[in-house]
Amino acid sequence: MPDGLQQYPTKNIVLILSKLPEFLRESMMRSRLEELAAMDSKTREVFIDSILIGLILAEEDALRKVIRTWLIVVSRLESNKVVTIFTACMNIYKKNPNLCERDYFTILFEVYQSLDENQRTILRDCLVEVVFNQHLSKQILRTVPEKVRLELGLR
């Protein structure tokens, strides 16, 4: 494991977070997301990569709870912070478009669809901004599953 990942141990973080009361999980995620948005881009990507490793190991119920809280918290951040976080996620996705094939991506999409309209709109608008600010955005869009593109209004 690279040194940067040792700094962000995430193997059991999803399970730990899922067992916390919602208000505490939200508070902890909000502070970590604020920190994430303030990191330099390389550190942000290493941090997100380490989270993705933890997601692979997570049980579905725990993952659903944590992803739901994460999306809700992200939707409440300032839009510039959401764009910063989504840009890091997009950079990771560009390196590995197979992320869409992971179980957690399906859960992420299902949970996104279950959010209220205002939260989905905030998240969608920030994601669309990030996608269209990427070099070769049309090639990136082609790698996103059609169901996701349609839901996000990306044709």
Side-chain angles (χ1 to χ4, degrees):
M1 180 183 302
D3 289 340
L5 293 182
Q6 290 173 355
Q7 187 176 352
Y8 308 111
T10 58
K11 184 175 180 185
N12 296 316
I13 193 71
V14 172
L15 182 60
I16 293 166
L17 284 170
S18 72
K19 296 200 181 291
L20 294 174
E22 181 70 20
F23 77 94
L24 190 52
R25 187 170 49 245
E26 277 190 32
S27 175
M28 290 180 74
M29 283 189 171
R30 187 177 315 101
S31 66
R32 292 303 285 173
L33 286 166
E34 294 281 350
E35 289 175 32
L36 180 63
M39 293 175 181
D40 66 83
S41 61
K42 179 66 178 164
T43 305
R44 198 171 16 255
E45 287 180 29
V46 168
F47 183 81
I48 292 170
D49 268 338
S50 72
I51 292 170
L52 293 174
I53 291 167
L55 294 180
I56 292 168
L57 304 170
E59 296 175 11
E60 185 175 336
D61 288 342
L63 192 55
R64 226 171 252 291
K65 268 186 187 177
V66 171
I67 287 176
R68 180 170 186 72
T69 303
W70 182 78
L71 287 173
I72 290 169
V73 172
V74 168
S75 74
R76 293 177 183 159
L77 293 174
E78 298 169 25
S79 62
N80 64 324
K81 291 178 181 176
V82 177
V83 167
T84 297
I85 292 167
F86 282 2
T87 298
C89 294
M90 183 60 62
N91 289 339
I92 292 167
Y93 176 76
K94 286 190 308 188
K95 295 175 194 169
N96 185 6
N98 294 334
L99 289 174
C100 281
E101 298 168 9
R102 302 279 172 109
D103 290 339
Y104 59 75
F105 188 84
T106 302
I107 293 169
L108 172 70
F109 185 63
E110 289 170 359
V111 171
Y112 166 82
Q113 290 178 304
S114 75
L115 297 175
D116 72 42
E117 181 64 31
N118 185 48
Q119 291 166 322
R120 286 194 318 268
T121 300
I122 291 166
L123 295 170
R124 182 189 61 235
D125 289 352
C126 290
L127 183 60
V128 168
E129 179 180 338
V130 168
V131 168
F132 286 112
N133 282 330
Q134 297 291 314
H135 178 65
L136 304 172
S137 62
K138 288 187 182 192
Q139 284 89 337
I140 294 168
L141 283 176
R142 282 189 221 127
T143 66
V144 174
E146 182 179 3
K147 178 174 142 181
V148 175
R149 285 194 317 263
L150 291 174
E151 175 70 24
L152 297 175
L154 301 169
R155 300 190 180 8

